Amino acid sequence: MILFLSFIAETIFYHYKGYGEELTLTAGQYTFHCYGAQGGRSYKDGKLSGYGGHGAHASGTLNITGNGTMFYVYVGGAGKSDKTGPADGGFNGGGKSGKDTGKGISGDNDDGSGGGGGSTDIRINIDDIDHRIIVAAGGSGGVYDHNGADGGDANGRYKVVGGYKTSKSTTQEKGNALLQGGNGHDHDWLPGSGGGGGYYGGVGKKGHTLFAPHDAVGDSGSSYVSGHKDCP
């Protein structure tokens, strides 16, 4: 949810605003630190319970030449929460959660899952996603009493029983879509949470019953640093 860059002794901070901002930098060496946004919290029996996954941290150093280079700064927004759902994803790629349709055994529709957190990125020269030079992924939303997956590195992450693993579905080459995390699916019991935004956004998940809530947690997004050995 935050970005800062440093040049010699000067540090500039950018916070979430819900839109991109222009930045012109003169010749010099700059270090960028980007932090993705956290996913939204989830509900259990009408009360907030699980937490969204934390956003990733991505950093890199860039040498700039010339009289001025234009950058575009996008700071991701946190995923939302909603008792019934769907809960909106955060700005800059967070996926929306599914809806608790309330058709399970209890008949209550108060187990809403969290939306995915948005990614934070920097774009050079042209304001589009094909010109991103650094991306810090957002975390996925929580489900029931399970926390979402933290923002990934080269790959996103997904929830398993007792922990998290590296995703093979959200990588540098594939995922839900470039930037955009996937939407969770509606379900009678526990809806899927939103995937985190990223270089590739994390895939959204189908909902599930109370016997396997981890399977309803969306993937977090993948991160990206131009020139890194694990990035294209």
Side-chain angles (χ1 to χ4, degrees), residues 93-96 115-117 138-141 180-184 193-197 201-204 218-221:
K96 183 183 296 185
S140 62
Q180 183 61 48
N183 295 334
S193 69
V203 297
D219 280 14
S220 62

Side-chain angles (χ1 to χ4, degrees), residues 38-42 50-53 79-81 87 95 97 112-117 138-144 146-150 159 164 182 191-196 213 216-220:
Q38 187 171 9
R41 295 192 67 182
S42 54
Y51 287 84
K80 307 301 182 183
S81 301
S97 73
S113 300
S140 62
V143 174
Y144 202 58
H146 286 54
N147 297 338
D150 291 344
K159 185 79 173 74
Y164 301 86
S193 69
V217 176
D219 280 14
S220 62

Side-chain angles (χ1 to χ4, degrees), residues 44-214:
K44 175 183 177 181
D45 300 328
K47 296 181 180 180
L48 286 168
S49 182
Y51 287 84
H54 293 286
H57 170 223
S59 63
T61 299
L62 181 66
N63 291 306
I64 299 174
T65 59
N67 295 326
T69 301
M70 179 69 74
F71 295 87
Y72 300 88
V73 177
Y74 283 76
V75 178
K80 307 301 182 183
S81 301
D82 191 282
K83 185 166 64 174
T84 300
D88 288 337
F91 172 73
N92 211 36
K96 183 183 296 185
S97 73
K99 181 179 180 179
D100 180 359
T101 61
K103 298 176 183 177
I105 291 177
S106 67
D108 296 329
N109 59 338
D110 58 359
D111 295 320
S113 300
S119 61
T120 294
D121 70 66
I122 301 173
R123 308 167 188 191
I124 189 169
N125 295 324
I126 299 174
D127 185 9
D128 65 34
I129 61 174
D130 292 330
H131 288 80
R132 295 176 294 173
I133 58 171
I134 185 168
V135 182
S140 62
V143 174
Y144 202 58
D145 56 0
H146 286 54
N147 297 338
D150 291 344
D153 39 39
N155 293 52
R157 294 187 174 92
Y158 72 101
K159 185 79 173 74
V160 296
V161 176
Y164 301 86
K165 288 188 175 181
T166 298
S167 174
K168 295 182 180 179
S169 300
T170 305
T171 69
Q172 296 294 295
E173 292 81 28
K174 63 181 180 179
N176 178 69
L178 284 168
L179 175 71
Q180 183 61 48
N183 295 334
H185 293 216
D186 297 347
H187 197 271
D188 294 348
W189 293 42
L190 304 177
S193 69
Y199 181 70
Y200 268 94
V203 297
K205 294 293 179 69
K206 296 180 179 180
H208 216 284
T209 67
L210 295 175
F211 300 107
H214 60 277

